[in-house]
Amino acid sequence: MTSDNQVLLRMDKINKSFPGVQALKDVDFEVRRGEIHALVGENGAGKTTLMRVLSGAAPPDSGSIYWNGEPVSIPDPAAAQALGISMIYQELTLIPYLDLGQNIYLGREPAAKAPNFIDWQRLYRMAQEQLARVGLEVDPRTLVAELPIAQRQMVEVAKALSLDASLLVMDEPTSALTEHEVETLFERMRELKAQGVSIVFISHRLEEVFRIADRVTVLRDGQLVGSAPISDLTEDDVVRMMVGRELKSYHAKEVAPIGDEVLRVEDLSRGDVVRGVSFSLRKGEILGVAGLVGAGRTELSETIFGVHPATGGRILIDGRPVEIHSPAQAIELGMGFVPEDRKAQGLFLRLSVAFNIVTVALKSLTTLGLIRPNAARNLARTFVERLAIRTPSLEQRVRNLSGGNQQKVVIARWLTLEPKILILDEPTRGIDVGAKAEIYALMSDLAKRGVGILMISSELPEVLGVSDRILVMREGRIVAEINDPRGATQDDIMRAAAGGANGGGSAIQA
Ligand SMILES: Nc1ncnc2c1ncn2[C@@H]1O[C@H](COP(=O)(O)OP(=O)(O)OP(=O)(O)O)[C@@H](O)[C@H]1O
Ligand SMILES: [Mg+2]
C-alpha cells in the first residue's frame, strides 16, 4: 500500500457509457506525485475516455475522484484546470491560422493596463519562455500552420505546461514524432518529473513505455486489468494483459506466389525531393520502403499517386506507360493510397462508419446512377469485420470511435476499391498490437490475391518482418535494395538510410 500523501490522484469505480457502448466499467486509477504513469490498452479500451473524465470533458456516470486525498468533482474543463490538471489530446487542438503565442494563451491573454486590451508584448515574451522550456527556438509570432507536425506537438506541450499543471496527461504524444524528437520530449518529461509534476503517458509503443514510465496501468474493454511498477513486468506481460491472450509472432507474411510486374517506375523525379527513382513492384509482392523521416518516401508515393506532378521520368502499369496527373486518375488505373496523415485526409467525422467506408467505392455500387443500399451496407459490414473495427453499429458517427479505430476506417475505405496496387504510408501508426496483427494478416491476404503492395514504414521490425523486398531511401534517392529481408538486420537498414558507417542522427524507429 502506498501512504496516502504519495497519492496525487485517485479515481474510484468510474463508469461511463455512450449510446451502445460502456466505455468504462468500475475503473480504479491512481497516480502518485512526481511519477510518469503509462496508460495502455488496445484501440477502444477506454484510455482517452478515462482521461476525458479526469479533465472534465466527459463527466462520469458514477464514481469518485480524489485529489490530494480530498473528494472533488470535475464537471468541466475549467474545474480540471483549477486543480492543476492539463491534457494534451490525441488530435492536435492548435488553431493553424493563429500564431504560437495566441494559441498558447488563447482565452487567458494577459491584460494591458487599459481595460479590454491585451498586453501583446508580455504575451509573446511569456510564450517565448514556454517554448524555450520544451526546446523550441521559434518566434512565437510564427503561425502554427507553418510548423511541421512534430513541432506542433511540442507547442501543445508548451501550452499545457504554461497552465502550471501538477498533472499532465499526454494522449499519444509521440505517434507523429521522429526518434530524435521523442528523445527531446522524454528529456522534458524527466525534468518535469524532477520538479514534482506527475505525468500520464498514453502510447501504443511499448518500447517507449518501458523507457520512460515508472508504473503502468492496463485497460481492456473498458475495465482495469491491473497496475504495477514497470520494473515488475516484461513487454510480453503487458501485451498479454492488453489483449487477454497470447499473441503469436505477428509479422509472418504467408508466402504468396509472386507474379508479373504490375508497377514500374523509371527515373521518376519531382524537383529535388524525389530524384531519379526506379523500381518495379510485382503482383503479390510487399515492397517495403525504409528511410529516415524526410528521405522522400511520402513524396515518392504522392508523386506516383498523382498528388503532385512529376518533373521527370515515367510510370508503367502492367507494362504500359500511363499518365497520372491526379489521384482520381491513379484510382481509375487501379491504385489505392492510405496516407500517413489519415485524419487530415478527409474522414467525414459527423457521418457514419458505413458511409465513410463505402464513400470511394460508391461509384461501383450504383446501378444506372442509383446506389444499391444493401450492397453498400454489406460492403461496409464486411470491412468492419475484416479489420475488426470496434463500433457498436455501422451507423455510429466516426467521431465517436477511438483514434485507432478511426484509422482502420480510412484503411478500409481504400480496400473497398480492390486496388491492384496499394500504397500504405505508415500503416500501423497509432494502432495497437492486436490490430497490427490484423493489418499484417490483411496485407498478407491481399498479396495472396495478387495485389502489389508498397509499404512505407519507419518501424524497422515491421519493414523487416512484413516485406518481401526492401528499398532504402535517402535524400530523395534509392540508396539500397535488400532482397532477403529475413537475412537482414535493423543495422543494415539504418546504415544505408543514414549514409556513412556510423549512422548519424537517425530518425528511424528501431
Ligand atoms: N463520444 C463518444 N460517443 C460514443 N462512443 C464513444 C465516444 N467516445 C468514445 N466512445 C467509445 O468508447 C470506447 C472507448 O474509446 P476510447 O477513445 O476511450 O479508446 P482508446 O483506448 O483511447 O483507444 P485508441 O487507442 O484507439 O485511441 C470506444 O468503443 C469508443 O468507440
Ligand atoms: Mg485514444
Side-chain angles (χ1 to χ4, degrees), residues 47-48 90 171-172 402-403:
K47 305 178 295 292
T48 299
Q90 204 166 355
D171 196 350
E172 289 193 49
S402 76

Side-chain angles (χ1 to χ4, degrees), residues 139-385:
D139 183 346
R141 289 176 179 79
T142 312
L143 292 187
V144 166
E146 292 169 28
L147 293 187
I149 299 278
Q151 293 194 2
R152 292 188 203 184
Q153 184 71 62
M154 299 309 270
V155 176
E156 291 271 6
V157 177
K159 180 176 173 184
L161 291 181
S162 72
L163 294 162
D164 284 326
S166 45
L167 176 66
L168 191 60
V169 178
M170 299 181 163
D171 196 350
E172 289 193 49
T174 58
S175 64
L177 301 189
T178 64
E179 180 73 4
H180 178 70
E181 290 158 340
V182 170
E183 221 15 83
T184 310
L185 179 67
F186 282 3
E187 272 165 38
R188 302 294 164 247
M189 286 167 69
R190 290 189 192 103
E191 281 167 24
L192 289 168
K193 175 178 144 170
Q195 295 165 20
V197 175
S198 307
I199 298 174
V200 177
F201 174 69
I202 300 178
S203 173
H204 286 293
R205 296 186 186 157
L206 292 184
E207 166 266 328
E208 290 179 352
V209 166
F210 276 79
R211 220 159 78 206
I212 191 79
D214 302 303
R215 287 200 304 144
V216 59
T217 290
V218 182
L219 296 181
R220 183 168 76 230
D221 289 333
Q223 284 173 299
L224 175 71
V225 179
S227 268
I230 201 81
S231 51
D232 289 1
L233 298 168
T234 65
E235 278 195 34
D236 282 345
D237 294 334
V238 175
V239 169
R240 218 171 307 126
M241 289 165 83
M242 283 169 61
V243 300
R245 64 192 138 85
E246 205 79 39
L247 269 193
K248 29 184 198 328
S249 139
Y250 53 74
H251 294 309
K253 178 193 181 236
E254 281 179 63
V255 185
I258 295 192
D260 294 339
E261 175 184 286
V262 57
L263 173 72
R264 169 182 285 275
V265 169
E266 285 179 355
D267 207 20
L268 194 71
S269 294
R270 186 181 130 226
D272 55 9
V273 288
V274 179
R275 302 199 261 183
V277 169
S278 302
F279 67 89
S280 75
L281 171 70
R282 292 159 64 187
K283 290 185 178 146
E285 184 179 40
I286 300 181
L287 179 57
V289 186
L292 303 184
V293 169
R297 297 169 302 165
T298 294
E299 290 74 11
L300 171 65
S301 34
E302 287 179 350
T303 308
I304 296 172
F305 197 65
V307 179
H308 303 293
T311 51
R314 60 177 197 158
I315 296 171
L316 296 86
I317 291 180
D318 292 329
R320 274 188 301 277
V322 292
E323 293 285 327
I324 304 176
H325 299 295
S326 69
Q329 280 174 333
I331 292 170
E332 200 71 38
L333 289 164
M335 279 193 207
F337 180 35
V338 177
E340 174 181 33
D341 184 2
R342 289 177 272 268
K343 280 282 168 53
Q345 304 289 329
L347 270 180
F348 300 99
L349 290 174
R350 302 166 58 112
L351 297 179
S352 69
V353 170
F355 177 86
N356 273 280
I357 290 177
V358 302
T359 178
V360 287
L362 274 182
K363 217 170 134 194
S364 63
L365 294 174
T366 50
T367 309
L368 302 174
L370 284 177
I371 297 172
R372 290 176 280 127
N374 281 336
R377 278 190 66 80
N378 288 338
L379 186 69
R381 185 174 303 112
T382 307
F383 279 93
V384 164
E385 282 165 13

